[in-house]
Structures are given as structure tokens and as C-alpha cells.
Amino acid sequence: MRNSYKYHIQYPSHFKQKLYFWAKKWSNFCILNSNGYNNNPYSKYYFIAAFGNNSNSNTSINPFEEIKEFYNCNKDWTFGFFGYDLKNYSENLKSENIDGVKAPDYFFFNPEFVFIINENELQIQYVNCNISAIELMIQEIENTHIIESTVKIGSIKSRISKEQYYKAVSEIKHHIQIGDIYELNFCQEFYAENIELDSATIYQKLNKISPTPFSAFARFDSIDVMCASPERYLMKQNNTLISQPIKGTIKRGTNKEEDEQLKEKLLNSHKDRSENVMIVDLVRNDLSITAEKASVNVDELFGIYEFPQVYQMISTVKSELRNDCHFIDAIKHSFPMGSMTGAPKIRAMELIEKYESFKRGIYSGSIGYIDPEGNFDFNVVIRSIIYNSENKYLSFSAGGAITINSDIEGEYEESMLKAQAIFNILS
């Protein structure tokens, strides 16, 4: 049973910035920041952070059951990530491409402290601690100096050339033409080796240039994740599951008139609407496996949401979890998220392994929390920088959905547009 302590924050924005740098003292932490996107009716917390030192990241023959057992042992706050390659444990798939990051397939921990910030109020939920120690900890955070280090990354390499990208997309389109798949999410990796990195500085810069509703700053032992995700993978509120897949992206305009024209262009794009509806159907199918009969519904189709660099087309799918299903089963049967695979899902993942050149790992996986009541919220790890402090390897990736209507040059440009914010930070 956790105790709770409340504290009035005089300057919330400044306090959060200090928290990013204070977090570096912990071996495990996870900060989830909605960046003020309060227009999403489903979000429960706008800023929540967890700090601790214990973890569960052993990869076994049945990791989903292991994660279920880890949560069921104490039914406490649980933070962490599901890696994309957990696909290999629910389907007959493999991951044999280059793995520079070398992250575990999953990682979860029960935090010693959970911070929930709502406007000027900080609530700390804690165990094995007294009030005076909490007050000292808050003072320590308030006294933390925000010292941003100079970003010196050096050479950032692409795992594949532009020509290789074109060739791969051309072959993927051939698979679509012969009816092998309908759509495939194809990604490329950018990486740098032998570098020192201050993750708090990088996250601050990323979050400033690209504030998003599912932003995350986290450390899982030697793996730091700086994430500017606009996408929710799956949320559970009581017995309701909510998925909000994104398919469809267009850049923002340089003035109001151009901005509105681009917004309308995305809304009326046949290619983007077809991409979106295919993934919506896939999500409906995935959720139906664990859903009460006739409970899967599309609450919103082709919603257009604005972000600093782009507009995104987002749909909302909901279902009611069957009483005989554990919520981890709903994750298992819907993971990885359809927006990052393609359709049909299993064949798309086979071809992703064939045509991509890197092991996705945390990228296109999911970071989030599970609360003591079994409610949860997990994002899609995209627009993210992943750094292994042990082998000094940095990675970020970008991609998009390939369909029969895809223009190869246009797909490449969209991929580079999505990566541009990170290039700007690291260059």
C-alpha cells in the first residue's frame, strides 16, 4: 500500500525541467509527458514519472506470461516497455538483422516513487519512506541545476542508402501487386557509434522542437529513450480498451492559408484514407480476440490532429475486455501495433524482417505504465532517440506505410521529414 504526499509547485514548467536532470541519478526511470495536449478525452495523467532500481527484463520462452506474473505478484505501479521483437513469442517469426542498440525484448520495474503533476499540484506516491525524506527529496529536485551539455554527435550514418531504400520499396510494391500484402510499414535506421550523450539535454531539445502528447523520457538500466511520440498504442480504462492508430502524415504550411490547404489535402487524400482504414480494420480484428461480443467500435475515423511539424490522420477504436481475459492478453494479441506493421499482419512482419536492415527493438515498441487497478496507457515508440550508454551507440529510425498507390520518392521524402526534427537536434 502506497502513501501519498502533496506539494504545491510554484513554477511547474521549471520543476519538470529540473526533474529531467535529477532523474539521471536513478538506474531506472520513466517520465511520461503529454505536453499540455489536454484535448484527448481519454488521457488520465498529463505528467507522470516513476523512479526506481528494481526490474524484470528476463527473456523467457513465454515473456507475456512472465510480464503478467511480474504485475500480478504485487499489483502495484509498473512502468516499462514492450519491444517490437516480442512478436517472435506470439507468432512464428524471427529477428536476425543488425542489432546496434542491444536492448532487452522487454523491461518493467516497480518504482519507489511515482510523481503525478497536475497544473501546480505534485502528488508523490511512495513506499518505505517517511515524510521528512520526501521533503528532502523535493528540496533536492528544486536545487537541481539545469546544465545542458553541448551536443556533439559527429557522423550520423544511414543503415541503407537512398538507392537501397528505393529498391526495397519497389520490391515491397511488387508484393502488394501480386496480392501478398495490402500495406507494409517500412523503416530505416540512422545511427552513430562511440559517442557520449547527455540524455536529459537531448530530451529537452527534442521535446522543445517536437512537443507531443505521448512524449517519454526513460532509462532502463543502460538504455536511455528520448521519445516524441504523437501516437497511443493501447489504453485501458476500467474494462474499456482504446487504440488510436496513426496513418497519414503531411507537413505544416509556412502560413495560415497554406496550412489549411495542406490539412484539407491530408483529409481528402485517397492514399492516406486507404492506409488508415486498413489499419483500423487490423486493430478491430486484433481487439476482437479478447473483446466482449459486438463491443468493438470505431469512435472516430480520419480525425486530423495538428502537431508542430506535421498534421496526422488518427482514428479511435474501442472495445470491452472479456472477463475471462487478463489485460496482458489484450496486449499480446494486438502487439506489435498495426500502424507499425501492415496488413495482413504476420506476412507484413515477415517482409519487414526481409527488407529492413536493422532490429527494431524498442523502436516501434511501446513505453507506458500499468496502475495498481490494472488500468494502463502505452504509446508507440516513434520519433525517438535510443541510446545505449554501455556500448555508446545511438539510434533513431523513421518510416511510413507502403501501399499500391505509394510514390517511391514521396515515401522517401516523408521518411526523411519524420526524421528531420532529430537531425536538427543532433547536427
Side-chain angles (χ1 to χ4, degrees):
M1 186 68 182
R2 287 182 178 265
N3 297 308
S4 181
Y5 179 89
K6 291 186 178 180
Y7 174 75
H8 178 79
I9 308 171
Q10 191 170 4
Y11 304 107
S13 178
H14 204 53
F15 184 87
K16 292 172 186 176
Q17 290 178 5
K18 291 185 175 187
L19 201 63
Y20 303 144
F21 288 86
W22 178 79
K24 294 189 292 182
K25 66 181 283 184
W26 294 91
S27 59
N28 299 310
F29 66 82
C30 184
I31 301 172
L32 306 173
N33 181 6
S34 75
N35 283 296
Y37 281 88
N38 301 345
N39 59 344
N40 191 317
Y42 306 109
S43 294
K44 186 174 182 181
Y45 302 108
Y46 297 127
F47 187 99
I48 184 168
F51 307 92
N53 291 309
N54 70 324
S55 65
N56 178 34
S57 61
N58 297 320
T59 301
S60 67
I61 194 168
N62 199 335
F64 287 104
E65 289 301 314
E66 199 169 83
I67 296 166
K68 191 185 299 184
E69 184 179 349
F70 181 71
Y71 175 80
N72 286 343
C73 279
N74 51 18
K75 295 187 176 179
D76 191 12
W77 284 102
T78 304
F79 286 72
F81 74 83
F82 298 95
Y84 169 83
D85 300 283
L86 284 175
K87 64 184 174 61
N88 303 332
Y89 299 93
S90 54
E91 303 292 347
N92 184 25
L93 298 167
K94 59 185 179 180
S95 298
E96 296 178 341
N97 289 327
I98 295 170
D99 180 13
V101 175
K102 294 182 168 42
D105 287 333
Y106 71 90
F107 189 106
F108 286 93
F109 71 98
N110 297 129
E112 296 173 44
F113 303 99
V114 176
F115 288 32
I116 300 169
I117 298 178
N118 185 14
E119 295 182 349
N120 288 76
E121 183 180 90
L122 165 66
Q123 180 189 100
I124 300 177
Q125 295 187 19
Y126 63 94
V127 291
N128 303 324
C129 197
N130 56 47
I131 296 295
S132 60
I134 296 293
E135 290 173 341
L136 284 171
M137 182 174 65
I138 292 172
Q139 193 61 48
E140 183 182 319
I141 296 168
E142 293 279 20
N143 292 334
T144 297
H145 295 294
I146 300 173
I147 304 174
E148 294 190 358
S149 63
T150 303
V151 179
K152 293 181 179 178
I153 301 300
S155 175
I156 298 174
K157 304 172 186 176
S158 176
R159 185 63 66 184
I160 58 173
S161 67
K162 186 176 182 179
E163 292 72 23
Q164 290 171 317
Y165 180 97
Y166 278 34
K167 183 175 185 294
V169 173
S170 177
E171 293 183 17
I172 290 166
K173 287 192 69 174
H174 176 68
H175 283 281
I176 298 171
Q177 288 166 347
I178 63 174
D180 203 9
I181 51 170
Y182 305 111
E183 177 182 349
L184 184 140
N185 187 277
F186 179 65
C187 302
Q188 57 176 322
E189 182 194 24
F190 305 93
Y191 66 99
E193 299 174 290
N194 299 316
I195 62 167
E196 298 286 348
L197 185 72
D198 176 19
S199 57
T201 295
I202 295 294
Y203 175 73
Q204 289 262 69
K205 292 179 181 294
L206 178 63
N207 199 50
K208 183 177 181 179
I209 197 172
S210 188
T212 54
F214 300 101
S215 168
F217 176 39
R219 171 173 295 159
F220 307 112
D221 285 348
S222 64
I223 308 295
D224 286 2
V225 183
M226 296 134 274
C227 173
S229 175
E231 184 172 358
R232 167 178 280 130
Y233 153 52
L234 194 63
M235 180 184 193
K236 178 175 175 286
Q237 288 183 336
N238 299 318
N239 229 37
T240 302
L241 294 172
I242 302 146
S243 180
Q244 294 185 291
I246 293 178
K247 269 290 163 267
T249 303
I250 199 166
K251 67 181 180 179
R252 297 293 302 272
T254 56
N255 56 56
K256 188 174 182 180
E257 183 181 358
E258 184 189 20
D259 203 47
E260 283 300 315
Q261 289 173 351
L262 289 167
K263 182 178 179 180
E264 284 298 311
K265 182 179 179 181
L266 176 60
L267 178 62
N268 297 307
S269 166
H270 176 73
K271 172 186 177 293
D272 290 304
R273 290 168 77 96
S274 64
E275 284 181 20
N276 196 285
V277 78
M278 275 192 279
I279 297 307
V280 166
D281 283 342
L282 193 156
V283 171
R284 290 172 62 222
N285 181 68
D286 286 349
L287 292 182
S288 70
I289 299 170
T290 57
E292 292 284 0
K293 188 176 180 179
S295 72
V296 181
N297 293 294
V298 180
D299 270 27
E300 181 182 32
L301 190 63
F302 309 144
I304 304 298
Y305 291 71
E306 64 178 61
F307 299 95
Q309 279 90 29
V310 296
Y311 282 111
Q312 307 263 208
M313 185 180 284
I314 304 176
S315 295
T316 300
V317 187
K318 296 169 72 173
S319 71
E320 295 298 313
L321 184 66
R322 285 206 324 266
N323 290 331
D324 62 333
C325 290
H326 193 281
F327 61 80
I328 294 293
D329 296 327
I331 293 172
K332 176 182 178 180
H333 291 295
S334 60
F335 190 85
M337 61 292 302
S339 62
M340 295 304 294
T341 58
K345 194 171 186 179
I346 295 174
R347 182 57 178 150
M349 289 190 288
E350 290 174 344
L351 294 175
I352 285 169
E353 177 68 16
K354 177 179 179 180
Y355 289 108
E356 290 185 355
S357 57
F358 70 106
K359 182 180 179 182
R360 289 190 178 184
I362 299 177
Y363 176 73
S364 73
S366 186
I367 292 175
Y369 71 84
I370 309 168
D371 75 11
E373 288 73 46
N375 298 310
F376 62 77
D377 203 358
F378 284 91
N379 73 1
V380 178
V381 181
I382 50 178
R383 322 284 169 83
S384 301
I385 301 166
I386 302 165
Y387 176 64
N388 186 323
S389 59
E390 282 191 358
N391 66 12
K392 297 180 173 53
Y393 184 93
L394 176 145
S395 172
F396 64 99
S397 305
I402 311 302
T403 69
I404 193 64
N405 296 316
S406 289
D407 172 73
I408 296 176
E409 184 177 357
E411 292 295 341
Y412 182 78
E413 289 176 355
E414 180 181 319
S415 175
M416 297 305 293
L417 171 66
K418 291 174 179 176
Q420 190 59 51
I422 296 176
F423 273 113
N424 291 343
I425 291 165
L426 300 179
S427 63

